[in-house]
């Protein structure tokens, strides 16, 4: 049984929660950078038929596949999802809209081209919206799909966000089971930039089967590799989502989420190496057993500092962080590779 079969076996034991198809899977507001300025954001996760790759097995860490609709929503229901999400923007003056589908916004089996155009027209008509960011797998980034978006968003910034995770094809295949290659990502970025579409790359710190040191070094190397291909790098710290292969390993004490000290080092070193590149991270679930964590005393403090850095790109915020557990993390870096994948400390 290969890795994808193992993941699919876990997927098939989970249930898709029934929920109205005219309501988005999730909506929330936040803040992000837009041309160096802190700007409000509205994030919308459409409830669609789901990520085609995730339904067939998919990524080792991803639980978002369970946010899909139990039955495919109609075009009218997808538009209603958008309209209900925009109700959350009533208090915002200028903002960025981030669109996720738990799959790919550019996949016409999830969002039909006609519906996509209708939604983009609504976004273009709202003068408060300064930029639209959509998540997609690289195979759906084509000249035609990009043109269909930019022809509508004439006065609104447009960005594609791709979950590259790592520039290492072996790690992406054997640890993450992502289902595409670095060459596919590179092709998509070149197509996007030819259309004046900006690119965000999502990276994943410490997928399964990597030691703390391996994970840390992989992200630093990946940022070096993609610095000329992408406009923004967003580093996700692997957490333990329900119904995933990572959860199976974690339950057997065969996986520990990354230390927050690891992302602090990555951000500090990579920002020094690439000062003009926007490099961010939002440590979701920080301080919990299922999320990235240090000790109880410092996890939330360090996570807040990471978020503050992400909005300012000021690495001095990270340089003076300290705690007694930092020495323990440094010991883990020295010894983690000798334990054959078993965590030294939970």
């Amino acid at each position: 049984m290969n890795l994808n079969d193992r993941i699919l076996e876990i997927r098939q034991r989970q249930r898709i929660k029934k929920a109205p198809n005219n309501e988005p899977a999730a909506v929330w507001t936040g803040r992000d950078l837009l041309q160096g300025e802190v700007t409000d954001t509205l994030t919308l996760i459409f409830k669609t038929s789901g990520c085609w790759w995730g339904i067939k097995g998919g990524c080792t860490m991803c639980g978002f596949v369970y946010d899909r609709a139990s039955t495919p929503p109609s075009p009218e229901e997808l538009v209603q999802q958008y309209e209900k999400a925009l109700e959350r923007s009533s208090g915002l003056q200028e903002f960025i809209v981030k669109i996720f589908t738990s799959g790919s916004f550019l996949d016409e089996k999830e969002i039909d081209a006609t519906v996509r155009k209708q939604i983009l027209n609504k976004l273009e008509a709202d003068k408060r919206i300064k930029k639209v960011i959509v998540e997609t797998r690289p195979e759906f980034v084509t000249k035609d799909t990009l043109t269909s978006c930019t022809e509508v968003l004439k006065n609104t910034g447009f960005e594609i966000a791709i979950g590259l995770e790592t520039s290492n094809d072996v790690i992406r295949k054997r640890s993450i089971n992502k289902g595409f290659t670095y060459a596919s990502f590179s092709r998509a970025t070149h197509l996007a930039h030819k259309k004046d579409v900006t690119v965000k790359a999502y990276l994943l710190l410490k997928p399964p089967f990597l030691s703390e040191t391996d994970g840390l070094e992989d992200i630093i190397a990946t940022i070096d590799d993609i610095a000329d291909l992408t406009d923004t790098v967003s580093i996700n710290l692997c957490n333990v989502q329900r119904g995933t292969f990572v959860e199976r390993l974690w339950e057997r004490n065969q996986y520990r989420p990354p230390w927050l000290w690891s992302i602090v080092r990555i951000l500090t070193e990579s920002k020094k190496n690439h000062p003009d590149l926007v490099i961010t991270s939002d440590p979701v679930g920080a301080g919990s057993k299922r999320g990235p964590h240090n000790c109880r005393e410092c996890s939330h403090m360090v996570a807040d500092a990471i978020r503050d850095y992400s909005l300012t790109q000021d690495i001095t915020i990270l340089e003076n962080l300290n705690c007694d557990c930092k020495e323990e993390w440094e010991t883990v870096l020295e010894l983690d590779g000798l334990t054959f994948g078993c965590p030294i400390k939970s």
Side-chain angles (χ1 to χ4, degrees), residues 16 24 52-54 90 115 139 147 182 208 211 223 241 248 265 269 306 329 341:
I16 304 299
W52 78 269
W53 180 245
S90 59
V115 177
E139 60 262 36
T147 299
Y182 181 70
S211 69
I223 294 173
Q241 298 180 14
R248 176 72 62 85
R265 176 173 290 183
E269 291 191 15
I306 293 166
W329 164 73

Side-chain angles (χ1 to χ4, degrees), residues 277-293:
L277 180 64
V278 176
I279 308 173
T280 69
S281 182
D282 182 8
V284 175
S288 68
K289 289 183 178 181
R290 285 178 173 263
H293 59 277

Side-chain angles (χ1 to χ4, degrees), residues 6 246-255 342-343:
R6 293 282 186 186
V246 166
E247 184 185 51
R248 176 72 62 85
L249 295 177
W250 177 75
E251 288 173 340
R252 298 176 179 180
N253 198 33
Q254 295 174 335
Y255 179 79
C342 294

Side-chain angles (χ1 to χ4, degrees), residues 308-321:
D308 289 343
Y309 152 78
S310 294
L311 289 176
T312 62
Q313 298 294 288
D314 180 3
I315 58 174
T316 62
I317 293 172
L318 305 174
E319 290 177 337
N320 296 320
L321 296 174

Side-chain angles (χ1 to χ4, degrees), residues 94-136:
E94 293 185 350
F95 59 100
I96 302 166
V97 173
K98 300 180 179 182
I99 296 178
F100 302 90
T101 68
S102 300
S104 299
F105 183 73
L106 300 183
D107 180 359
E108 295 182 6
K109 291 183 179 179
E110 287 191 68
I111 304 284
D112 179 84
T114 303
V115 177
R116 183 175 69 214
K117 184 176 181 180
Q118 188 175 354
I119 291 169
L120 291 176
N121 271 314
K122 289 178 178 290
L123 289 163
E124 172 71 3
D126 191 329
K127 301 308 177 185
R128 300 173 301 159
I129 298 171
K130 300 305 175 184
K131 189 171 190 177
V132 176
I133 304 174
V134 303
E135 187 175 27
T136 183

